[in-house]
Amino acid sequence: MSNTEALPWAVDSLARNKILTDNKIFMRTVTAVDDDDDDVTPVNPIKISHFEAVAAVNTSLEWVEEQNFEAHEIMLLRRLRDRAFELKIGTVAQKH
């Protein structure tokens, strides 16, 4: 195809396609509906009880102490354990 033959095709193509400004491109991108979410299966999160959380943090705390972690790291786990224990006690108190 020569340049003179391609010119009418190019003019016709430009006439059919809208020229978009950067702002219009941005707005179309922002407002476009994302169809990729259709195939996502919802996940039901597993509920972990306060009792299980306390046990897990206790196990972690024992391991951290055996590994001679720094004091601030051990203190963080102790605070997490204490908080989980408080939640466990609060849940038990609410049931009675």
Side-chain angles (χ1 to χ4, degrees):
M1 179 183 296
S2 70
N3 286 342
T4 55
E5 292 172 342
L7 186 57
W9 174 84
V11 171
D12 185 48
S13 177
L14 283 174
R16 283 186 279 124
N17 296 313
K18 294 179 182 176
I19 297 175
L20 299 175
T21 63
D22 288 344
N23 191 41
K24 287 181 182 177
I25 292 170
F26 174 76
M27 292 306 293
R28 283 188 179 188
T29 303
V30 169
T31 58
V33 176
D34 186 8
D35 294 332
D36 293 340
D37 292 341
D38 294 343
D39 60 343
V40 175
T41 304
V43 177
N44 295 329
I46 298 171
K47 288 289 199 174
I48 299 171
S49 71
H50 299 309
F51 179 81
E52 291 172 312
V54 169
V57 176
N58 275 333
T59 301
S60 299
L61 186 56
E62 289 174 20
W63 178 79
V64 164
E65 288 171 342
E66 288 174 3
Q67 301 303 314
N68 296 319
F69 274 56
E70 294 183 24
H72 71 276
E73 295 168 320
I74 294 171
M75 291 303 297
L76 174 63
L77 279 177
R78 286 182 180 163
R79 280 186 291 195
L80 288 173
R81 180 201 53 199
D82 294 347
R83 181 69 178 122
F85 186 73
E86 289 169 4
L87 291 171
K88 181 178 98 169
I89 295 299
T91 303
V92 171
Q94 287 176 357
K95 289 182 181 178
H96 293 290

